[in-house]
């Protein structure tokens, strides 16, 4: 966890991480582990669902759907078999909230899945986890085995007549397999491709049976809610978003790592008070929330209280909790291109708007960053983004244009500079850069000539030097080497 201050942090989902031995069932029991399951089994399933509803817990996997409502749908769908699935696919680049919970407190997820299974009437649960998480898998497997050996999973748990067990399914690392319908297809052994909804998994999911898919962090909150009560949880956060959220701080920020804060904490508190701001005295420029499906928020958004609605209102989203901070040296067109490159690679290819549209969007962004963009390209970017949002089959395609739309909205002047002046204001897009030497400052020390890989700097010792722009490959080596600030990057 980020170290600077715990003042603004509140741990619910990560309450035990770092405090107990994750491989010890005894340690978990010592912090009231499995007490919530015992308590839930004294209630009716409908009462358990009601507690989760009143608590206001919403899905931490991205969409923010109310967990109690979802459980209620599955409970009311009668079936001979139901399933509860934990989504531990965690495909957002740079995000590792779920891995941290599974590595640090696997029993809390096992316990929550048993509570969820009881609430909806499922006797079998599955954790879908990416195979690149070997430590999380090892600890989860041990937690399941230990719980089973202790009678906390299996037949007739706590003598209640409730049977429940958990199996582990492995994902191969495709981002789209985190989408719940693709995840279910993958669990069944098919290609991990989304299918259109409805029917929703709570109606017809794994093997066409009612199936609840919840995120790791969502589950990790459940035992605490059952023990401390719905009102306690509902008392934390904002009017529409209750409890806390775990975020992974990354990018240009002093304190990188995981934090957990109450919903309603402002971006300023997260980035400056907890994150310590940008390193090397650089100026904060933007923060991408919601991973590749989210958007960039800027200075004007710093005092926004973070919750599901406030982020959507600013063309971003909560997502699973990734936060990538950018400083004055970042080009927002390149940032949009970076995220699009990721989603373009991860499209499953099933529907045309996403499969083909992502390529066309990328080509336009590439053209702009190479200095060949036009005003018409900006209009095309916008209209194609809108069409893809409206017509793509699943959330991956529907949210793919978000980084473009949000950066065009807030940093439109940077796009304009790229296409009208053929300049990258952040000096990132090399095709539009020029390096020149200021003769008034150059001492003729010759250091730059020694590092230039194409020998395009000439001059006599102790006399101002010059760069041959026709040969310069814009590597920046001379700029980094010059001790007299004589080289100008424009
Ligand atoms: C492209 C894509 C990737 C997703 N990846 C994840 C993921 O890695 N983990 C996750 O919990 N939810 C992910 N989701 C959201 C799931 O489809 C689903 O809404 C979520 O697992 C439900 O759990 P929750 O209600 O507890 O959030 C993804 C959605 C999309 C569209
Ligand atoms: S939107 Fe993209 S990822 Fe989703 S089904 Fe269509 S092609 Fe596949
Ligand atoms: S390193 Fe700087 S001061 Fe030295 S010759 Fe090159 S430009 Fe001039
Ligand atoms: S930017 Fe690179 S190639 Fe260009 S003059 Fe400087 S060192 Fe040489």
């Amino acid at each position: 966890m980020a170290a600077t201050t715990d003042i603004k942090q509140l741990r619910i989902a990560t309450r035990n991480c770092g405090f107990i031995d994750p491989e010890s069932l005894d340690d978990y029991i010592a912090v009231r582990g499995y007490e919530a399951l015992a308590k839930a089994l004294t209630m009716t399933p409908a009462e358990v669902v009601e507690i989760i509803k009143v608590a206001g817990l919403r899905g931490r996997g991205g969409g923010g759907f109310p967990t109690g409502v979802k459980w209620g749908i599955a409970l009311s769908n009668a079936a001979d078999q139901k399933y509860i699935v934990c989504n531990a696919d965690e495909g957002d680049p740079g995000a590792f909230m779920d891995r941290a919970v599974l590595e640090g407190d696997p029993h809390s997820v096992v316990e929550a899945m048993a509570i969820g299974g009881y609430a909806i009437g499922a006797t079998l649960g599955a954790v879908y986890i990416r195979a690149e998480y070997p430590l999380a898998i090892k600890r989860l497997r041990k937690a399941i085995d230990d719980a089973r050996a202790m009678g906390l999973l299996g037949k007739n748990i706590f003598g209640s007549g409730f049977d429940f067990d958990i199996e582990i399914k492995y994902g191969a690392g495709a981002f789209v397999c985190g989408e719940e319908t693709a995840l279910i297809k993958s669990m069944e052994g098919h290609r991990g491709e989304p299918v259109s909804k409805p029917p929703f998994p709570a109606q017809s999911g794994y093997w066409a049976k009612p199936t609840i898919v919840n995120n790791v962090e969502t589950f990790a909150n459940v035992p605490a809610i059952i023990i401390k009560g719905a009102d306690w949880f509902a008392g934390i956060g904002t009017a529409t978003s209750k409890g806390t959220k775990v975020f992974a701080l990354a990018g240009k920020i002093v304190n990188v790592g995981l934090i957990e804060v109450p919903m309603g904490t402002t971006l300023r508190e997260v980035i400056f008070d907890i994150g310590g701001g940008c390193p090397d005295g650089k100026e904060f420029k933007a923060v991408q929330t919601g991973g590749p499906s989210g958007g960039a928020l800027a200075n004007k958004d710093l005092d926004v209280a973070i919750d599901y609605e406030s982020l959507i209102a600013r063309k971003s989203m909560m997502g699973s909790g990734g936060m990538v901070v950018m400083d004055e040296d970042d080009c927002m067109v390149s940032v949009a291109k970076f995220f699009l490159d990721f989603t373009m690679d991860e499209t499953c290819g099933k529907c045309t708007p996403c499969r083909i549209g992502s390529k066309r969007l990328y080509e336009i962004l590439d053209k702009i960053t190479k200095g060949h963009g036009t005003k018409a390209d900006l209009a095309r970017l916008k209209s194609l983004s809108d069409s893809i949002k409206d017509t793509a089959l699943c959330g991956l395609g529907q949210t793919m244009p978000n980084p473009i739309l949000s950066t065009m909205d807030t940093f439109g002047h940077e796009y304009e500079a790229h296409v009208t002046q053929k300049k990258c204001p952040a000096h990132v897009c090399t095709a539009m850069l020029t390096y020149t030497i200021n003769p008034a400052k150059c001492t003729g020390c010759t250091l730059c000539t020694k590092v230039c890989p194409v020998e395009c700097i000439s001059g006599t010792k102790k006399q101002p030097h010059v760069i041959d722009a026709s040969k310069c490959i814009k590597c920046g080596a001379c700029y980094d080497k010059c001790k007299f600030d004589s080289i100008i990057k424009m």
Side-chain angles (χ1 to χ4, degrees), residues 437 441-448 465 482-484 486-487:
I437 295 178
K441 282 188 162 182
C442 177
T443 63
C445 74
T446 75
L447 268 183
C448 56
H465 282 41
C482 180
K483 293 177 182 156
F484 302 96
S486 320
I487 300 185

Side-chain angles (χ1 to χ4, degrees), residues 58-67 70 86-92 98 130 175-181 183 197 213-219 293 308 320 394-397 399:
R58 294 172 65 174
R60 304 302 198 235
F65 193 83
T67 308
K70 197 149 93 173
C86 174
N87 187 343
D89 193 52
E90 198 163 62
D92 279 10
D98 298 346
R130 57 178 46 227
F175 179 54
V176 74
C177 283
E179 194 280 337
E180 57 187 2
T181 62
L183 180 150
K197 297 185 272 192
V213 180
N214 275 130
N215 170 259
V216 172
E217 189 185 330
T218 313
F219 277 122
S293 315
Y308 292 98
S320 58
C394 85
L396 189 151
T399 58

